[in-house]
Amino acid sequence: GYRVYRRTDAGAYELPLNGEALAQTFFEDTPPAYDVVYYYTVRSVRTREETVIESDAADEIRCEYYDITPPAAPQFLTAIAQRDGVLLKWMVSAEEGFAGYHVYRRTPGRGEFERLNTELLTENSWLDTTVVTRRRYEYVVTALDDSLSANESAFSESDSLRYVPN
């Protein structure tokens, strides 16, 4: 049979991942953490009476295990005209690994959405102070996770309004 071993950059191979020797030539592993580089090797195993004999380790295989799944899109985005801009509010994201939000704006039905915030937002509201009176705006929000690849969700449902200060 076979035994499968895993290590990280800083670690050494320890106990095999499989308790019993495998008869088949495949093994599925779910590493304990994302955003880590893992190394794997396999050893052949033979048992004679009560003695276990292992072969030399096969060549290592390097596996970069990154989180590539974006969080869910924010929900219930609402744009509210205020005296000093448009206040945007949405429902808080409670997903594990959540890092923050980006806010995007465009003229309704025209062109691409452009990101407005330069720093990642951690609150579920934001005031757009760059609006012009009587101009129409459409907004969406995205959520980002804290993985190395900073996965970004799809756009939230949009909300639009014609800005008239209160």
Side-chain angles (χ1 to χ4, degrees), residues 2 5 18-19 46 49 53 70 85 96 113 120 123 131 133 145 154 157:
Y2 303 96
Y5 294 85
N18 53 312
R46 174 175 273 174
E49 296 172 13
I53 303 166
E96 187 176 324
F113 282 99
L120 194 61
E123 299 295 320
V131 292
T133 301
D145 66 18
E157 289 188 16

Side-chain angles (χ1 to χ4, degrees), residues 43-114:
R43 292 175 180 254
S44 297
V45 178
R46 174 175 273 174
T47 305
R48 290 219 177 227
E49 296 172 13
E50 293 184 20
T51 304
V52 176
I53 303 166
E54 281 193 345
S55 70
D56 290 337
D59 290 341
E60 281 187 328
I61 295 175
R62 183 177 191 267
C63 177
E64 297 178 10
Y65 190 62
Y66 294 110
D67 178 2
I68 59 170
T69 306
Q75 295 184 327
F76 308 113
L77 173 63
T78 304
I80 306 160
Q82 303 282 305
R83 177 176 305 143
D84 48 356
V86 174
L87 178 63
L88 302 167
K89 292 183 160 249
W90 56 91
M91 193 164 137
V92 172
S93 178
E95 290 188 49
E96 187 176 324
F98 167 77
Y101 304 100
H102 283 317
V103 173
Y104 295 84
R105 181 183 76 192
R106 73 176 178 183
T107 301
R110 292 184 162 174
E112 300 290 319
F113 282 99
E114 292 183 31

Side-chain angles (χ1 to χ4, degrees), residues 1-4 18-28 42 45:
Y2 303 96
R3 287 187 176 162
V4 179
N18 53 312
E20 297 290 321
L22 299 171
Q24 68 272 15
T25 57
F26 63 90
F27 180 78
E28 186 173 326
V42 176
V45 178

Side-chain angles (χ1 to χ4, degrees), residues 12 46 50 58 94 96 98 111 115 117 121 125 135 149 163:
R46 174 175 273 174
E50 293 184 20
E96 187 176 324
F98 167 77
R115 191 169 91 200
N117 57 307
L121 305 174
S125 64
R135 194 170 285 172
S149 46
Y163 178 62

Side-chain angles (χ1 to χ4, degrees), residues 132-153:
V132 176
T133 301
R134 293 187 183 75
R135 194 170 285 172
R136 195 152 193 68
Y137 297 100
E138 181 180 12
Y139 295 92
V140 292
V141 178
T142 61
L144 284 86
D145 66 18
D146 62 359
S147 70
L148 288 177
S149 46
N151 300 305
E152 186 171 11
S153 74

